[in-house]
Amino acid sequence: MYHYIAYGLNISSELLLPELKISSVVEADVVIQLGKVNWLPPDPCPSWKYFHFDGDTAYLYWDIVGKFLVRSGREITIELIEGVDEGVVRLPLLGAVLAMVLHQRQYLLLHGSAVAIKEHAVIFAGASGHGKSTMAATLYGRGHRLMADDVSAINLEKISRPMLIPGFPQIKLWPEAVTAALGDDPEALKRVHPDLEKRARPMANGFLQVPLPLERIYLLSEGPSVHIKPLKPQEAIAKLIGNSFIPMLVGEKFIQSKGTGLHISQCANLVKNVPIYTLERPCSLELLSDIAHLIEEDLAAPVQI
């Protein structure tokens, strides 16, 4: 078994997971194993992916990878299709599957990337393609530290002080964003998948492993000008639910999962304790530096109510 740490969890895995930080702790919070998953997706399957919930157990299926069982936030069992590359397996495993573990452990998950700015955590959330990772990478390039990419986990155990739990030290970027945000050569980085241009950028030297209080959430959208606007509570709750990772992943099936009511309650509690803003800006890599500077100024200013 290999031993790692991610999202504050000690993970023991039969699979090599080079994206994760190695841990010396043998006792595991989560065990990843290869084995038989005694469940079948419908035949014919309505899509190339399919998800099913049964109490504390979730089944996740991708036709080019195989089946995953996630149970009680502690166990991942993987039944792979023959000949699949382990690099391809790690895409859903370290994304949707690990997110399901966190969901079962009652973390609030946003579809967002997070950075640490002056000892406070900031999340950039939004739909795929809205620039979450690019914005986080830009701030990383300005000396701030990465905390999560794509899946941001929030611990609301102390409701009045939501904490951002660090993920693992990697960020995924399109080639043009690698150059614009970090000044790196994308050809020197591995592709996240053989058929995709997106690259995996290790962030070991600028990754913060310590949980931090959540200071701001910026919901990204495209518009004619750069504009930051605070959201009123009711609108903010709706936006948070719409940008939560598990509902975005599974769609209407989310209502079948255990803890739907808790999730809505968590979003409401988060709005009471963390400012939620929209960040509207044109789709232009040339504006990244200006937008990052505006965010730094906004964080230094008093909270708008």
Side-chain angles (χ1 to χ4, degrees), residues 88-266:
V88 175
V89 177
R90 295 198 301 270
L91 275 176
L93 174 59
L94 298 181
V97 178
L98 188 53
M100 192 61 68
V101 169
L102 297 166
H103 172 67
Q104 291 178 349
R105 285 176 167 265
Q106 299 189 348
Y107 289 106
L108 174 59
L109 306 180
L110 294 184
H111 191 208
S113 299
V115 295
I117 299 178
K118 293 185 178 180
E119 305 309 317
H120 290 280
V122 178
I123 297 175
F124 300 97
S128 297
H130 279 200
K132 304 177 297 294
S133 299
T134 301
M135 203 67 255
T138 300
L139 286 158
Y140 172 91
R142 294 169 68 89
H144 304 293
R145 291 164 293 176
L146 180 72
M147 293 191 72
D149 181 44
D150 207 42
V151 180
S152 290
I154 304 166
N155 185 344
L156 282 160
E157 188 175 17
K158 296 181 180 178
I159 292 174
S160 62
R161 196 168 186 255
M163 302 292 289
L164 194 285
I165 308 302
F168 54 92
Q170 177 183 274
I171 197 163
K172 301 186 292 292
L173 298 164
W174 295 105
E176 57 272 20
V178 170
T179 303
L182 300 171
D184 290 348
D185 177 10
E187 296 305 317
L189 301 175
K190 291 183 178 180
R191 299 185 182 207
V192 299
H193 185 281
D195 297 331
L196 291 176
E197 285 292 330
K198 186 173 276 191
R199 308 305 163 100
R201 169 57 152 86
M203 295 287 202
N205 294 331
F207 182 77
L208 184 67
Q209 192 68 43
V210 181
L212 286 181
L214 182 57
E215 180 74 8
R216 291 278 208 288
I217 297 173
Y218 294 100
L219 304 175
L220 303 181
S221 63
E222 188 175 333
S225 61
V226 180
H227 184 62
I228 294 176
K229 183 184 75 172
L231 289 175
K232 294 180 180 180
Q234 285 300 111
E235 186 180 5
I237 292 171
K239 292 284 188 181
L240 282 183
I241 294 172
N243 285 281
S244 296
F245 189 89
I246 298 298
M248 291 181 76
L249 173 71
V250 304
E252 293 182 359
K253 285 183 174 290
F254 181 64
I255 62 174
Q256 302 173 19
S257 66
K258 186 177 180 179
T260 304
L262 173 63
H263 174 75
I264 295 172
S265 175
Q266 287 177 327

